[in-house]
Structures are given as structure tokens and as C-alpha cells.
Amino acid sequence: MNLIVQKFGGTSVANVERIRNVAQIITDTYERGNDVIAVVSAQGDTTDDLIKKAAEITSKPSSREMDVLLSTGEQISMSLLAMAIEELGYPVISLSGWQAGFLTEATHGNARIKKINTERLQNELDKKNIVIVAGFQGINRYDDITTLGRGGSDTSAVAIAAALKADKCEIYTDVDGVYTTDPRIVPNAHKLDEITYDEMLELATCGANVLHNRSVEMAKKYSVKLEVRSSINSDVPGTEVKEVCKVEKMLIKGVAMDNDVARISVLEVPNQPGIAFKLFSALAAEKVNVDIILQSVGRNGTKDISFTVSTAHKQQALKVSEEFKEIVGAKEIVFKDNVSKVSIVGAGMLSNPGVAAKMFEALGESNINISMISTSEIKISVLIDQDQAKRAVNVIHDAFAL
Ligand code: ASP
Ligand code: MG
């Protein structure tokens, strides 16, 4: 007897036909003798629509009420899906986040899961019920509903798989798996059979919108067997996400593009010890997440510091930078938000020299200027002008013959 956790994204449950299709996938899995827990997202654009509804009432909704509102999207999906499964004649029960035992941090809007009390889930499985769980939500220590951040249903599914030591966690989406890059940008992008947790994590944080990055982090931590696959072509195998891939024949696995970036440069900062600490601790205190950081070498007693943030944080980051400029006596702030971060990811670069050179050569030959570079062991990111980003992804994808 295996326990399979399946997660269905918003497009997979967008309408009646899609819900019936998902009910079929679930009951087929159950019919094969498995226990099944299915985690669902809100239908189609429901979450965005709920956000718009709130905005019609107030420009400053409290984060508590926002979570109460947003958690309803997933609850619509779970009940409709349970009804569709009842229609097929199978025992099923739907549970909202708190009913399924999701305890989270107190913060609203982007709460982390602290623990899952698995008692209820286990009881329902013991009764041979198919269990449908509302993704993206839980309850905090004040008994208030919390949500896990946009895209958080993936994390709900992996968390259940980890807590119940499921044999597998299948993430069903509207594409066949994880691609070498976005097929809408590069038509000959292809599906990967497998990818490592680390590669997937880098891709997820670099703008590849396949999996919520926290879900990958958690899958790695608890060694959850993960597969990304299509709910539409449900008989096609997807992409397995795992610790190590069989043969590391590919130099890089994928190219990602992220347009949600803004760059701030503080020019002619006094070249003194502790100055970077002042700026970045002030940003951290305002909860601004900084991505790429670049500091020039000192010249004539000054240096320049540039960094990038997501566009949601740009106003905060600018405000902090302006204050910093006044306090330390820097010369000026330069702000740019029509930029993109283009990244290549692959464990293959660990053991192969020349990967960065190859990427920069492809960009140079296409006359695409790089304004910032950052690297990790298995990732290289460059910051470039946004209007050149799609072209950059194409030439890099070609250069590595993906
Ligand atoms: N419905 C939520 C969102 O759109 C969570 C999810 O889909 O994973 O972000
Ligand atoms: Mg998603």
C-alpha cells in the first residue's frame, strides 16, 4: 500500500471539465490500490480576482482579513473536486488547511509551515477516504487563518508528503514537466526527464514559475520523491526532482528569465569599513530582500554599491537608500527597473570550466550588455536590459545546445 500525494494547480481545476479530469486521475490512482491525498490550488485566476475584490473595498486591507479572503479560493476547489469524486462513487472528504492540521508561523500573507498535526489526515486515510486538502493555507497560534505566499500550494503538498512519509509527491500542472526554458520564449525548449533539488531550487528562485521555491527546499530537506507532470497529458511521464541525476551529461539544465527586478546604485559612498553593513542592515530592518550585490573597488576614497531587489520592494529600498545617502554623504542614487535577470543553472558547471565564458560570449556576440553578474556553485546570473532579455535567453539556450 503506497501513499501518493498529488497537487493540482489552478489551471488543472479551472472549470468543470478540468475538475472531472482531475477526479479521474485521483480515482485511477486510488483504484490502483494507493492511498491518495490531493492538494488543490484556487481555480484559474481566482486568487488574483480576490485580490482585486479587496482592492475595490480598501487600498489597505489588514493582512489578517486578506488571508481569510484568499484562503476561500482553495476551499472552493476542494469542495467541488470532492463532489466530482463522490459523483464517481468513491469515498472522499475535503479538508481546509486548519482541518488538515497545518500550523504556521503567526505572520500573515507569507507564513511558513511550522508543523502538520497529521492525526486527522491519518484517520481519514485509515477510513479509506480519498482526502482533498486546500493548499496554500494553515492556522497560526492565535487560531487565525494564514496563507503561505503566492504559489504556496506546492509547499502544502510537499509538506504533507514529508509529514506522512508519502511514497511520492506528484505536482500536476498545465505543462508536461520542467523545461530547459520557457517554451513561450524558446519554441525548441524541451522537457527534462530529471533535475536535482539544487538545480530546481536555483531555477525556482530565478523566475522559472514551475514550483514554489519553499516546496523544493522542503522536498530536499525531507528527501521527498517529487515529480512535476501534466494533468492534461496525464499519461506522459513528467520531470523527476531528486538528489542526484543519473548521468550528468548536460553542462547546464536550464535558462531562466526574471523581469521582476529593480536595480539601485548608490554612487560615491565613502570607502570605509562597515559602510556596506550600514546599508544592508537598514534594508534588512525594512524586510527588503536583496538579490545581487556589486561593490566597486575604492577610488579617491569612495566606492559605488549596487544591488537588486524585487519590484515589490523597490519603493522601500529606494527610501532606505536615500536615507543612507544622506547619513553617510554619498553622491547620488541611480534607479533602474526596466532590467531582467537571466540565469543559467546546472550541476554540470561544478566540474566543467568555461561555462561562464560561454554564456558571456553568447551575450557579447549578440551585443547584449551585462550590468551585473552573480554566481553560485551551480548558477550564473546576469542583469541586462529588459528589452533584450528574451533574445538573451534564446542565444544562451542555443549556445549550450539545450
Ligand atoms: N492560489 C494561490 C496563488 O495563486 C496559491 C497557489 O496557487 O499555489 O498563489
Ligand atoms: Mg504554482
Side-chain angles (χ1 to χ4, degrees), residues 86-227:
E86 281 174 347
E87 273 287 296
L88 295 175
Y90 290 86
V92 61
I93 186 163
S94 70
L95 301 173
S96 66
W98 70 267
Q99 290 177 305
F102 276 83
L103 300 179
T104 74
E105 289 176 334
T107 35
H108 288 285
N110 200 17
R112 281 178 173 267
I113 301 166
K114 285 174 71 175
K115 184 171 183 238
I116 303 181
N117 284 333
T118 54
E119 209 179 306
R120 177 76 189 266
L121 286 170
Q122 193 57 59
N123 280 340
E124 299 301 341
L125 293 176
D126 292 344
K127 285 190 250 170
K128 288 285 136 213
N129 276 324
I130 292 172
V131 189
I132 313 294
V133 177
F136 166 67
Q137 57 185 274
I139 196 169
N140 66 19
R141 63 173 178 272
Y142 306 112
D143 282 352
D144 284 329
I145 292 173
T146 51
T147 61
L148 310 183
R150 298 305 306 269
S153 297
D154 296 335
T155 303
S156 307
V158 173
I160 291 179
L164 288 173
K165 301 196 169 41
D167 297 276
K168 202 168 170 202
C169 181
E170 300 173 338
I171 307 282
Y172 285 86
T173 173
D174 53 349
V175 290
D176 292 344
V178 181
Y179 276 68
T180 49
T181 192
D182 188 338
R184 286 166 301 186
I185 300 176
V186 182
N188 65 344
H190 70 267
K191 191 188 77 190
L192 297 161
D193 295 332
E194 48 179 22
I195 187 167
T196 68
Y197 294 124
D198 290 330
E199 290 170 331
M200 193 63 238
L201 194 56
E202 292 283 17
L203 279 180
T205 35
C206 285
N209 264 327
V210 208
L211 286 174
H212 195 225
N213 58 357
R214 258 153 55 195
S215 72
V216 187
E217 241 167 47
M218 197 179 297
K220 178 179 158 74
K221 187 165 168 198
Y222 297 99
S223 301
V224 174
K225 265 185 83 180
L226 205 60
E227 184 182 355

Side-chain angles (χ1 to χ4, degrees), residues 21 67 159 264 283 378:
N21 168 61
D67 277 355
I264 294 175
L283 288 163
I378 60 163

